[in-house]
Amino acid sequence: DIRLWSRTVTPTELCSRRRSMLDLPAQTDLLGYFPMGPGDYIADSGLLRNRASLSSPPAYVRCSSVRLACPDPGKSRGYVVRPSLFDLPSQTVELATTAGYVTGGGEAALLPPLEVPLPAFDVDAFSEQTLGSDGLGEVQVEIVALPDPVCGTLWSSDLQTQVSAGQRLDKASLPLRFIPARPDGADADTLACVTRTAYVALDAYGAQSPFEAEVRLA
């Protein structure tokens, strides 16, 4: 999260905003705002979208070191998460699917369950220079909110186990799968529903992330 101002920001302002995203467009004197969240990278351009305003210029993504591979979201090679005094909540991930059928496949050809990744990262378990694992343990996630069963249900990656609230999952159970509800007699191709799931990350010692992350399902 990078914020550029045209004036000196007071310590009081910094402290009051350090745990929240900026409320736009209510901010004044804001020249650049780069949360680096979903949708901020402009595909195939090497640019980051500037959220300060519609007319604000973007930022160029450039490497500052020859030791590591340069960020390239087009190749799923992104940014390194570093410790910060400014603990910010993660941005909501939005995923869309349908309860309908594959075009031309008839009612026997249901679309596959929606893949639901639950990204989590423990900066203490990775080398600063190589980004390789230090072998200090795997990050787990704990489900703190389930989708509304009227909309659908969450399952383990192998589709053998339905996920329950409070369940802790390791990487072998991820990504999860969301199966839309298909009520008897309903036209699956016209069903519409919006719901959410939420989770927290846990390190090898059980320490919990300060914020929960949300995935919105439609």
Side-chain angles (χ1 to χ4, degrees):
D1 186 293
I2 300 173
R3 307 171 185 188
L4 303 176
W5 303 86
S6 62
R7 61 178 175 83
T8 301
V9 180
T10 67
T12 299
E13 288 177 299
L14 285 174
C15 290
S16 65
R17 295 170 174 170
R18 70 177 188 148
R19 292 183 181 272
S20 62
M21 307 295 289
L22 292 179
D23 180 21
L24 300 174
Q27 305 301 322
T28 58
D29 304 315
L30 182 64
L31 299 178
Y33 184 37
F34 307 96
M36 299 187 189
D40 286 326
Y41 181 75
I42 303 174
D44 302 321
S45 68
L47 300 176
L48 280 175
R49 198 179 314 278
N50 189 342
R51 295 199 198 179
S53 73
L54 293 176
S55 60
S56 297
Y60 288 89
V61 180
R62 293 291 183 266
C63 274
S64 60
S65 171
V66 295
R67 290 184 176 182
L68 305 175
C70 296
D72 186 350
K75 297 180 180 178
S76 298
R77 191 167 64 219
Y79 302 89
V80 182
V81 179
R82 300 295 188 192
S84 172
L85 295 175
F86 299 92
D87 295 324
L88 295 171
S90 61
Q91 295 188 5
T92 298
V93 175
E94 298 187 2
L95 303 174
T97 186
T98 175
Y101 305 97
V102 177
T103 301
E107 294 192 1
L110 289 172
L111 290 170
L114 176 68
E115 185 175 292
V116 183
L118 303 180
F121 183 82
D122 181 7
V123 69
D124 296 326
F126 288 83
S127 165
E128 284 278 328
Q129 300 299 327
T130 67
L131 303 188
S133 173
D134 281 340
L136 300 179
E138 296 288 345
V139 176
Q140 291 186 316
V141 297
E142 179 177 328
I143 304 299
V144 296
L146 289 172
D148 185 341
V150 172
C151 294
T153 50
L154 277 180
W155 292 76
S156 59
S157 184
D158 59 8
L159 295 175
Q160 297 300 306
T161 307
Q162 186 172 340
V163 175
S164 58
Q167 184 173 348
R168 294 188 177 185
L169 304 162
D170 58 22
K171 66 179 182 180
S173 301
L174 301 174
L176 298 183
R177 311 287 178 175
F178 176 73
I179 300 180
R182 299 179 175 92
D184 292 339
D187 183 353
D189 285 322
T190 61
L191 291 173
C193 200
V194 178
T195 186
R196 66 183 286 272
T197 186
Y199 66 97
V200 293
L202 303 164
D203 69 11
Y205 302 99
Q208 182 176 307
S209 56
F211 299 99
E212 66 180 42
E214 178 183 78
V215 179
R216 189 170 299 146
L217 303 161

